[in-house]
Amino acid sequence: MMFAVAMTFIDQTIVSIAVPDIVSELGLSASGMQWVVNAYLLSLAAFFAVGGRLADLWGPRRVVVAGTLIFVVSSAMCGCVPDGDYALTWLVAFRATQGLGAALLFPAALAVVVAVFPIERRGRALALFFGLTGALTAVGPLLGGWLTTWTWRAIFWVNVPVAVVALILTALAHISDRRRDEPLDVKGAVLIAVGMGTSVLGFQQAAAWGWDSAATWACIVGGLAVLYVFCRYELRTRHPLINLSVFRDRAFTVDSLVLFFAMLAFVPVFFFASVYAQVSLSASANQAALYLLYFFVGFAIASQWGGRILDKRGARPTLKIGCVVGAVGFALWAGKLTDLSMHDQWPYVALAGAGIGFILAPASTDAVNRAIDASYGEVTGITQTVRNYAASIGLAVFGTVLTHTMTDNVVDTLQKRGVPPDQVDSVAGDVTQSITGQADARTPTGDGPVATTMRDAMSSIRMDFAEANQWVFYGMAVALGIGYLCALRHPGGQAAGAEETPTQSPVHH
């Protein structure tokens, strides 16, 4: 099951490294490329609860196989995207179906792990499972950097042999398929998918539509309203998609809130840091991957340390430490972005990674242990939905901040260099949309005055991009600061009834 889920977590981060090459070859805009990254996360968030429920109703083995097949076929199709007008639509569509496959696969795999381990070994197995899924996101940038030197399409094709091995191992494991004879909450599934999709669309398109646009707020408010209706409906229905009664436990609610604010930074940081490295630092894909490796050194060390603290003292200390360390790390990292030196930044990159490492596995494990009246599958469905929805919102909001700030910075730079006022806004907008595809050698061509000015201004524009990214990384620091305020509300201690939970779980009967 670990092998099966490996590719789904690698895929959360592997695309970030290849962004400049994809943008350059297919001619995508910056906002379009964010949708290629975001479509996967949003689909994962929208359908995760459905995946967990289907694992209960149809049996985990069937859902693991179905999820793996959907995922790998979608991966292969992403690698075969044609050049031309339909490239963006093609990529976004198959990234979304990739997310659907992952949403089916992960909760079903977790249900298998829970079912095959006896009660006394189940906690350690779950801790390893959650820890591995967090650590696997580290493989994405490194693997992406290596594969991109051949072709960026390989970042999708690499999933094919992994999926074949996963299917063979699943067949050899002889997993039993226990099913529950209950209906699927189709209305709930539609409501959560529409609510999440619409609200993230509003955040994402704010860069293009503007924050003063009625369409922007119609999507955001409308999507949140649909999610409110979803919650009301789930509380009334007999067989809900998500058992919301677990939020009556204050510790579970705090764990979910801290996870939400941590994930606003965790997945988006790969996209923004890798593009920053390749644009502002003129780094290659491999160098950008090594830049992100500092983050995961801190993450890996803190995850192990946080796990030991969780066992001895509960989740509250790790959540508080993680939020403080992460907020300080991201803030110091942001302050160093304009130095344009990878060497000066690595201690703060590692510190930011350590903050996230202290949070993710302990919060996820504590949330599962608090689920006295619900199955592991249902609770993991909630926490993973929260995590992926937060990552989608983080990408959308920080992408909007970056676009607006970068455009303002480039306008100032071009005005100082004498670009005519009637041209400066359109030129700045074009630069902002294309900058994620510009490496050091890709400068504007042509003999006109604007093209000449642009060539002369490229070093200034790289600094403009670094300054725009500072706002994004300070935003991540603020998110973790809010997470700390939430962590203060955690009641502390070990989860009462954690040992008894599995025997009460309907997944296993």
Side-chain angles (χ1 to χ4, degrees), residues 414-465:
L414 296 181
Q415 282 177 339
K416 290 174 183 175
R417 291 174 178 266
V419 174
D422 59 334
Q423 295 183 41
V424 71
D425 287 333
S426 63
V427 172
D430 291 342
V431 169
T432 300
Q433 285 298 308
S434 64
I435 194 68
T436 54
Q438 304 300 321
D440 194 33
R442 296 170 186 161
T443 51
T445 58
D447 299 324
V450 173
T452 303
T453 302
M454 287 292 295
R455 279 197 295 275
D456 296 339
M458 285 310 289
S459 60
S460 297
I461 288 172
R462 279 196 288 274
M463 179 59 80
D464 288 337
F465 192 66

Side-chain angles (χ1 to χ4, degrees), residues 45-110:
F47 295 110
F48 207 99
V50 178
R53 189 71 176 140
L54 288 179
D56 286 346
L57 302 184
W58 295 355
R61 182 178 58 81
R62 285 182 179 84
V63 178
V64 165
V65 172
T68 303
L69 290 173
I70 292 171
F71 187 90
V72 72
V73 170
S74 301
S75 295
M77 295 302 287
C78 284
C80 297
V81 57
D83 297 338
D85 296 339
Y86 299 106
L88 179 61
T89 305
W90 180 294
L91 261 184
V92 170
F94 284 110
R95 284 286 287 167
T97 55
Q98 254 192 316
L100 171 61
L104 296 175
L105 176 55
F106 185 84
L110 182 74

